[in-house]
Amino acid sequence: MTFPVIEPSNRDEPGIPADIDSLREQLIDRLSLAGIADAGVDADLLIGHVLAQSRGQVQAAGILRKPLAEADAVAILELAARRASREPLQHITGRAPFRALNLRVGPGVFVPRPETEQVAQLAIDALRSMPDPEPIAVDLGTGSGAIALSLATEVPHARVWAVENSPEAFEWTSRNFVEVGAANATLAFGDLADAFTDLDGTVAVVISNPPYIPADAIPRDPEVRLFDPARALFGGTDGLDIVRQVSHTALRLLRAGGVLVIEHGELQGAEIRQILTDDGWRAPATHRDYTTRDRATTAIRNT
């Protein structure tokens, strides 16, 4: 008589934890060694992604040392290896939280950053302050659609237009516009230089997070350097080529008293204020982000 051969489980081998707490500790150690600053956050989010749990649920399960299926543990460890190689967490999960939204992202589109949430707030506040029954906003170079869709959902009486010129990014933008389903948001494919000429002189707020890294600069973080699309990062020799174009386009689009909001690097505020002053804008002002770094400059369209 012959008996079937039963392959032994790998559960007792080192490296495959039996419970969530042990797995979480292993992931934190691995990600910390890879130079990831918020290793605990990323560990929770990777575990939660596979188990379809929130970060709080993962932490609670860790405290209770809840058991973990071997297949789930292996899947999580595989994702952790990708993150340890500095692949963006958002590419691994396919999602990027931004304000109240949870956007689809992946290769070819710039991953929205937390500091941009505050830049979007400047535009949201400006839109809400406008007396127009349906103030118009335009997002130049919308990328994933994060800013435009935030404006549309948080200021529902506004009408929001957004333009993107990267075919790779536009695929992600389109998915996000469909998924969010904001009826007051319109997406177009094209260059920001000649976008929305039919709106000339009627727009209340123009916002842009343009490419602003100088061409010869090397981004510090591997997630940016290796994975973000170059066309979303680099803005010419001094990094301000697209900023200059945004200024010109916004002057065409905005009505008198309309507001311009531009995101930029922490050392570019003075240069951008000078560009805007030279172009005839009124009251250019630079604003800091949550880390107290200069992050955005606003200005008002003259009469």
Side-chain angles (χ1 to χ4, degrees):
M1 180 180 293
T2 60
F3 296 92
V5 176
I6 300 176
E7 294 293 336
S9 168
N10 291 325
R11 171 63 75 182
D12 296 329
E13 292 184 7
I16 303 183
D19 63 79
I20 289 179
D21 183 62
S22 300
L23 176 67
R24 186 174 183 275
E25 297 253 334
Q26 182 173 323
L27 262 60
I28 290 173
D29 289 344
R30 184 172 192 177
L31 298 178
S32 296
L33 286 172
I36 295 169
D38 296 321
V41 174
D42 283 22
D44 291 341
L45 294 174
L46 288 172
I47 295 170
H49 176 66
V50 172
L51 301 183
Q53 294 181 355
S54 69
R55 189 181 174 207
Q57 289 173 316
V58 170
Q59 292 175 331
I63 292 171
L64 297 173
R65 299 188 68 87
K66 287 194 174 181
L68 185 68
E70 182 176 344
D72 288 337
V74 170
I76 293 165
L77 289 169
E78 289 174 351
L79 297 187
R82 291 171 59 186
R83 184 67 186 106
S85 73
R86 304 304 292 266
E87 182 177 352
L89 176 70
Q90 298 88 342
H91 283 198
I92 296 169
T93 65
R95 291 284 182 172
F98 187 86
R99 295 180 68 90
L101 303 173
N102 192 24
L103 301 167
R104 293 183 179 274
V105 295
V109 69
F110 184 79
V111 175
R113 305 303 203 259
E115 54 267 28
T116 303
E117 295 185 10
Q118 189 174 1
V119 180
Q121 186 67 54
L122 294 171
I124 288 168
D125 291 344
L127 265 183
R128 288 174 174 164
S129 72
M130 296 295 172
D132 319 47
E134 292 182 321
I136 297 173
V138 171
D139 180 13
L140 298 174
T142 193
S144 65
I147 292 175
L149 291 170
S150 292
L151 269 58
T153 54
E154 296 186 46
V155 192
H157 68 284
R159 291 181 292 156
V160 181
W161 273 260
V163 65
E164 175 56 49
N165 70 354
S166 163
E168 296 79 15
F170 194 77
E171 292 184 17
W172 296 102
T173 325
S174 300
R175 293 178 197 173
N176 287 323
F177 268 68
V178 169
E179 186 170 293
V180 173
N184 59 333
T186 301
L187 174 64
F189 181 83
D191 193 270
L192 65 85
D194 53 11
F196 308 126
T197 54
D198 54 323
L199 297 177
D200 285 358
T202 67
V203 177
V205 175
V206 169
I207 184 168
S208 182
N209 179 13
Y212 53 73
I213 298 176
D216 61 354
I218 300 175
R220 177 180 63 253
D221 295 333
E223 290 86 347
V224 177
R225 185 173 65 250
L226 301 177
F227 294 94
D228 274 327
R231 68 190 298 166
L233 298 176
F234 299 103
T237 303
D238 64 355
L240 300 178
D241 284 358
I242 312 302
V243 170
R244 294 182 180 93
Q245 184 58 65
V246 166
S247 173
H248 296 157
T249 300
L251 282 170
R252 168 172 59 79
L253 289 169
L254 286 169
R255 59 165 171 75
V259 174
L260 171 64
V261 182
I262 302 176
E263 180 170 338
H264 54 75
E266 61 184 289
L267 302 178
Q268 296 174 320
E271 289 179 90
I272 291 176
R273 291 195 303 275
Q274 189 61 57
I275 289 170
L276 298 178
T277 298
D278 292 344
D279 284 348
W281 292 90
R282 179 163 56 88
T286 299
H287 308 263
R288 293 182 175 181
D289 63 18
Y290 300 118
T291 66
T292 73
R293 296 181 175 93
D294 286 353
R295 182 56 57 193
T297 292
T298 59
I300 301 171
R301 174 74 155 88
N302 268 322
T303 56

